[in-house]
Amino acid sequence: QVQLVESGGGSVQSGGSLRLSCTASGFTYRSNCMGWFRQTPGKEREGVAAINVDGRTDYSDSVKGRFTVSQDNGKTTLYLQMNSLEPDDTAMYYCAAVCERPSRSLLLQDLYKFWGQGTQVTVSS
């Protein structure tokens, strides 16, 4: 049974940092891509950062230069290093895995087959 479990969320002041982790289990094959999405109440889920099996990364304009996506060597854990956090970064952050079709953008929600339950990030001013 495929599982994605996020951790590392919490509350931080504006300008602070957090590191999110997403541990994947139950896969019988290596995921071709993994990504981070976020959602606030009443808004669409948006792509934040993603990485594919070739190491290509994709970032939303709102986090470029502040967030870094990476994987461990075994490609089973996905990380999101978030620096210079702003109140607008407050959201539930979700991990996603396995892209079901080729795509130039890795930040499309309908690209991904599996999703985690999310971890809350709250940034206060």
Side-chain angles (χ1 to χ4, degrees):
Q1 183 179 349
V2 170
Q3 262 196 319
L4 298 174
V5 179
E6 302 96 336
S7 62
S11 297
V12 65
Q13 287 195 321
S14 183
S17 298
L18 282 174
R19 189 193 197 204
L20 304 185
S21 299
C22 170
T23 301
S25 62
F27 284 97
T28 57
Y29 52 89
R30 179 182 292 183
S31 178
N32 56 351
C33 61
M34 295 184 76
W36 290 99
F37 290 73
R38 66 187 182 187
Q39 189 172 24
T40 54
K43 289 190 176 181
E44 292 280 320
R45 191 173 295 187
E46 64 167 343
V48 175
I51 186 167
N52 73 1
V53 67
D54 296 324
R56 178 171 73 89
T57 56
D58 202 358
Y59 294 93
S60 69
D61 289 343
S62 62
V63 308
K64 211 170 283 184
R66 301 188 297 122
F67 291 10
T68 303
V69 64
S70 62
Q71 287 181 291
D72 68 331
N73 286 337
K75 310 292 186 191
T76 59
T77 302
L78 182 71
Y79 301 103
L80 185 67
Q81 178 66 44
M82 306 187 293
N83 298 328
S84 302
L85 282 161
E86 304 166 353
D88 282 349
D89 295 317
T90 295
M92 184 70 79
Y93 283 72
Y94 298 90
C95 172
V98 182
C99 288
E100 297 193 279
R101 55 182 170 82
S103 175
R104 175 183 289 272
S105 170
L106 300 177
L107 301 182
L108 304 177
Q109 187 179 176
D110 66 357
L111 200 58
Y112 292 86
K113 184 175 182 179
F114 299 107
W115 292 85
Q117 293 300 306
T119 185
Q120 177 68 36
V121 171
T122 302
V123 184
S124 57
S125 57

